């Protein structure tokens, strides 16, 4: 068994003449949670996409569990892997994106069982039993037969997590999984991720959720302009950053968070005032209406 589950050595990626990653070195141990922070355009998504082979690197090496990603090394020379081999490698990695990319015409349960049946050749019965367990672990046992459009953003994102877990990955990549959510829905997704971390899943999480990073990450990595600027224990990087670029970024994230909180409070106040002016009974759910559905917009 390799020492590190993920090992990136001098990874570079260029789109045309634009060098987006300029030599990333990063290792992630088994069971470790690494939070990746950095300003927009610094290359965080690109790095995750390279690990998951949605892009091909320009230089350097990425190994997952000791195996070179995308290439095979034979007598010191690199050969591109065959498609089937790449599919096998990708199946070991789960990815959750910023935008919930569920199949809209499939229910939560159907979304979760799809890959285990088609890729892993599981029986429908076994895949369904596993999917029900996974939906339960993300708190959605009662939403198995709902379609994505009938679920809130937070619920959809938890289905996306269950769907990734159904492939029994050894590594989970999260790309800002809560940044497209309304503030009140962020917590439930972070809770599902926290549980996953507590069960020993190896995770690389791109996030601006500082509280989550402080509480759950074993290591925080700050990237800017295609390089790792600073990495270390969460409290070291988040509370005592050594680099000016890290300090500037953290200041900005905190300001943004404060502004968001203020906006949310203002909205709450407005809603309270609105409730008062509504005719009696107008603000409650209609008879027979599922109150959860009212959160969808
Ligand atoms: N397919 C592509 N073709 C050309 N340029 C790309 C492509 N994908 C990403 N880039 C460029 O690479 C740079 C890094 O993008 P990336 O999406 O990795 O940043 P990021 O750190 O994830 O940013 P954000 O926080 O906004 O998500 C950007 O300048 C982007 O325009
Ligand atoms: Mg990104």
């Amino acid at each position: 068994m390799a020492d590190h589950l993920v090992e990136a050595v001098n990874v570079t990626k260029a789109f045309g003449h634009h060098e987006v990653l300029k030599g990333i070195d990063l290792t992630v141990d088994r069971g470790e949670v690494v939070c990746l922070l950095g300003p927009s355009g610094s290359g965080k998504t690109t790095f995750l996409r390279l690990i998951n082979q949605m892009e091909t690197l320009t230089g350097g090496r990425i190994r997952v569990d000791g195996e070179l990603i995308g290439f095979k090394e034979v007598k010191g020379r690199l050969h591109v892997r065959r498609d089937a081999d790449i599919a096998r490698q990708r199946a070991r990695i789960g990815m959750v994106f910023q935008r919930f990319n569920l199949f809209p015409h499939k229910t939560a349960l159907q979304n979760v069982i799809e890959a285990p049946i088609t890729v892993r050749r599981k029986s429908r019965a076994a895949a369904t039993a596993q999917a029900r367990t996974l939906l339960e672990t993300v708190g959605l046992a009662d939403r198995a037969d709902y379609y994505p459009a009938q679920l809130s953003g937070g619920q959809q994102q938890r289905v996306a997590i269950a769907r990734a877990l159904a492939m029994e990955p050894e590594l989970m990549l999260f790309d800002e999984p809560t940044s497209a959510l309304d503030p009140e829905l962020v917590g439930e997704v972070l809770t599902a991720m926290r549980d996953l971390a507590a069960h020993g899943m190896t995770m690389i999480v791109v996030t601006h959720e500082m509280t989550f990073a402080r509480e759950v990450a074993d290591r925080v990595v700050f990237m800017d302009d295609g390089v790792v600027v600073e990495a270390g224990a969460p409290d070291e990087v988040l509370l005592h950053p050594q680099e000016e670029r890290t300090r500037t970024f953290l200041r900005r994230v905190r300001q943004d968070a404060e502004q968001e909180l203020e906006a949310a409070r203002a909205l709450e106040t407005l809603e309270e005032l609105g409730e008062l002016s509504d005719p009696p009974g107008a603000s409650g759910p209609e008879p027979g209406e599922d109150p959860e559905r009212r959160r969808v917009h």
Side-chain angles (χ1 to χ4, degrees):
M1 215 157 57
D3 291 348
H4 306 295
L5 183 61
V6 183
E7 185 181 27
V9 181
N10 198 23
V11 169
T12 59
K13 174 66 183 175
F15 293 105
H17 294 298
H18 183 194
E19 195 168 48
V20 170
L21 298 180
K22 302 172 179 172
I24 301 284
D25 292 311
L26 182 74
T27 57
V28 183
D29 289 337
R30 254 165 250 283
E32 203 179 14
V33 177
V34 171
C35 279
L36 207 53
L37 314 177
S40 181
S42 56
K44 306 175 299 293
T45 295
T46 303
F47 184 61
L48 294 190
R49 288 170 64 89
L50 289 180
I51 298 175
N52 199 25
Q53 301 193 63
M54 296 163 80
E55 301 281 358
T56 307
L57 43 69
T58 317
R61 310 266 162 105
I62 298 177
R63 285 191 172 79
V64 174
D65 199 13
E67 204 177 276
L68 264 187
I69 283 290
F71 298 91
K72 229 178 185 154
E73 197 163 17
V74 184
K75 294 182 188 151
R77 294 183 62 175
L78 292 186
H79 301 267
V80 175
R81 283 186 191 272
R82 284 173 308 159
D83 287 352
D85 213 14
I86 287 177
R88 176 186 58 81
Q89 290 189 323
R90 291 192 63 190
R92 296 157 60 184
I93 300 170
M95 187 150 173
V96 176
F97 302 85
Q98 180 174 12
R99 294 256 157 219
F100 350 110
N101 54 341
L102 300 174
F103 302 117
H105 57 289
K106 288 181 189 287
T107 64
L109 185 85
Q110 287 164 348
N111 264 280
V112 179
I113 63 175
E114 164 85 16
I117 290 176
T118 56
V119 182
R120 286 256 192 268
R121 307 270 171 227
K122 270 199 179 178
S123 72
R124 180 165 292 271
T128 303
Q130 179 205 33
R132 290 204 185 278
T133 308
L134 286 170
L135 286 172
E136 194 177 333
T137 60
V138 297
L140 292 174
D142 58 341
R143 292 290 185 273
D145 299 323
Y146 282 55
Y147 287 90
Q150 299 172 314
L151 298 169
S152 72
Q155 291 170 338
Q156 289 184 53
Q157 201 60 315
R158 286 184 283 147
V159 175
I161 293 174
R163 187 176 61 171
L165 292 176
M167 289 293 280
E168 295 164 20
E170 52 186 343
L171 171 67
M172 285 285 286
L173 308 175
F174 292 88
D175 191 4
E176 302 200 41
T178 60
S179 60
L181 298 178
D182 289 340
E184 75 270 22
L185 303 181
V186 168
E188 62 193 49
V189 175
L190 294 180
T191 300
M193 291 169 65
R194 217 177 246 124
D195 286 351
L196 198 54
H199 281 87
M201 178 60 77
T202 311
M203 298 164 50
I204 305 180
V205 185
V206 175
T207 184
H208 291 171
E209 294 293 334
M210 296 302 166
T211 312
F212 177 83
R214 276 195 67 193
E215 288 173 9
V216 183
D218 297 296
R219 222 144 31 92
V220 168
V221 174
F222 173 68
M223 271 176 72
D224 192 12
D225 200 18
V227 297
V228 171
V229 174
E230 194 161 346
D235 281 358
E236 271 172 37
V237 176
L238 300 176
L239 300 183
H240 310 287
Q242 300 299 304
E243 301 292 330
E244 187 50 42
R245 277 199 277 182
T246 319
R247 283 196 278 269
T248 309
F249 171 77
L250 291 174
R251 252 196 311 273
R252 218 179 47 228
V253 171
R254 281 187 195 116
Q255 277 167 3
D256 287 353
E258 273 164 26
Q259 273 170 11
E260 242 171 56
L261 195 67
E262 257 169 49
R265 280 200 196 113
L267 195 67
E268 229 167 61
T269 314
L270 280 178
E271 276 172 0
E272 273 165 23
L273 290 173
E275 296 257 344
L276 289 177
S277 59
D278 274 343
S283 60
E286 295 298 319
E289 187 192 12
D290 179 352
E292 280 283 309
R293 286 283 295 118
R294 293 175 66 82
R295 294 156 76 185
V296 182
H297 30 237

